[in-house]
Amino acid sequence: VVRKYAKMRAAGLRLVQRLPVREHNDDLAGMAAVTVPMFRVRPEHDGESTGSSALIVTSERDPRSTELGYIRAGTKIGLNRILGTRAQLARVTDGQTNLWGGWISFLLLDGTPTLERILEDTDNMKLADELKAELARIDALRAAAIANGEDPDGIASPKRRTSVEQPSPSSLLPPRDAGETAATQQPPIRCKRPVDMGLEQRVTVTGGWRMHVDRAWTRPVYVAPIAGRMTWGVTEVISSGGLDDLLLARSWELCVVDPMAVEAMKDPEWTMKIFSDASMSGQPIKLLPKGSIVVCLIFHAPSKIAMILLPPSRSGEECGIGYAFYQQRDGRPVLRAMMTPAPVDENAPDDPDLLPVSAMGHAEPPEGELLEGPFFAEPPEGQKELIVTIGQDVDSDQWARLPRGYCVNAFAELLGFRARLPDLEGGGWVSLVGPDGTPMFRKQPLIPSKIELPGQAETNDLEDAKLPIVWPYLGVIWPEKPAPVEPVYQSTLPELLYKIGGNRALCDWNRVTLLPSDALIWRNALTNAQSHLDELLRAQLWKIAFVEAPSLVVRERMDPRSTVVATFPRGSLVIAEWVAPGACVRLLIPGRADDPRPRHCWADLAME
């Protein structure tokens, strides 16, 4: 199955997606490739017994089981899982609900596929196709003009003009002298493409904003070549997709407030002070706690001051600029970069219009390619979840959602302000910061290591605290240390629950809805552990029992005088949760099929 991506990653473009065909697997990305997309029945598949192109749907995985019906060619279907060459239906778009849950042949025995995946292009892909068609049309017009002996880039000839003559710019100017040459004439005016305001991310990585450092003003200047715009402020840059442009060009850097000084790591109330002026005087305008993600515009190495982008505090406001020390006076770093620094040619000649390379600094680089975590999701105010998309584009298809506080140990890739989740967590792309620089994640700060001074070392083994023995001709001999014995802990679910709260914690489960989806799970009343009914039965937390008495009276409570809920005849099947003192057993009594809120009632375990 071929999968398309909006942008090519540095590691290459993935063209094939593996589909899991085993019953038990932990491949979340592979299972999502089965359950999320839609499939279409291939028209070249010849059906059986119907004389037309169709797939036979059976009730079981065995092809010899009972036939439920047929799915004609071209029908869109969704799959639940794939086992070998057979696939279980999850949904059918033509309204045949009686076929849901049935089994079809995903592959024939000769390897011929019976289904094809429906690939839907994103808005950026559709726009790229339209632009490609427009460029092809322009190239065809240019080729036709050249074939007719015309200059496609010059002024249109009179025979190609419309009937209404528009005054040219030269006609509005005073007449030139006869001796004026063609070299002094004004060149034709070319229109520039205006800046697109309101962009979050540009369709392509070309044609965006670029940054230069002005030597005279000692501050960055931003240039949009295609739009013909140049500015020293960041308002126009941020509002037209400049954050992603400058992060991709490595002109700006994503950093984390993570001081490496021991006194700062041990101080839980330590904050980084942001000033409004590069002189770092007066009261700070903002205090950033440890773990905050910031966008740094430029690092000035001689003064150890970084220019930081300040996101708007409220909706509708503009971004600002602040200044902070990215290193302490002794050189210990305060800011840590999310990526390794971009390579710089230190032997290259300095541009006379720009600051020298020696004046440019950088934050503390990570140990690997990306900064280690863990990171915690922190959606902006008014949002509860962060959206995870399939591709790097913001407008690509939605993949999942990350609730507030979700922990990500490390990111697999970083492009612009977008980061890719590792494959073990399902993959997908998420925004580290918003288009205006608002942070979406928070990093856990570094934890200082314990320093053990002589005479203050803490140990659990008394043999380590004994002094060595000095023997003549033998030297220093330390007492023998007993071999450490690693304790063995029981990690099965019944034993862990029994240790936490006894029989009550072991067997007290309630059926609840797993938000934000509509899936139903069983949650423990005391430990909040989650499970399924088949897992509870396989782990023998609950047990299946049969009624041996002539009848079984089920009560609402343990008290024999409580209200009677139901009466089961002999041979009925019930699920027993636990046995309480007094020869009473708690039973699971559903009111209907797939009851989201089944009742927990009581019955006598034995008769006198």
Side-chain angles (χ1 to χ4, degrees), residues 436-456:
D436 55 358
T438 303
M440 305 288 188
F441 281 86
R442 173 183 55 85
K443 181 186 178 298
Q444 178 178 331
L446 291 177
I447 301 176
S449 58
K450 294 184 179 180
I451 302 178
E452 297 181 352
L453 300 177
Q456 299 179 356

Side-chain angles (χ1 to χ4, degrees), residues 2 16 22 66 69 74 80 86 191 227 277 290 292 299 321 329 375 454 462 511 557 559 580 582 591 598:
V2 179
V16 178
R22 296 183 299 176
T66 306
N80 185 20
R86 302 280 288 173
C191 297
D277 190 78
K290 291 185 290 185
S292 302
F299 298 90
I321 296 295
R329 294 184 178 181
F375 297 87
L462 298 178
R511 198 175 192 189
R557 300 184 183 277
D559 190 354

Side-chain angles (χ1 to χ4, degrees), residues 3-43:
R3 174 177 287 183
K4 294 184 179 180
Y5 284 86
K7 288 188 178 180
M8 181 181 295
R9 301 201 305 266
L13 181 65
R14 181 168 62 181
L15 299 178
V16 178
Q17 173 69 42
R18 181 174 64 88
L19 299 179
V21 296
R22 296 183 299 176
E23 185 172 4
H24 302 286
N25 63 84
D26 297 330
D27 186 5
L28 300 180
M31 288 301 299
V34 174
T35 59
V36 173
M38 297 293 294
F39 294 83
R40 183 188 295 110
V41 180
R42 293 170 60 92

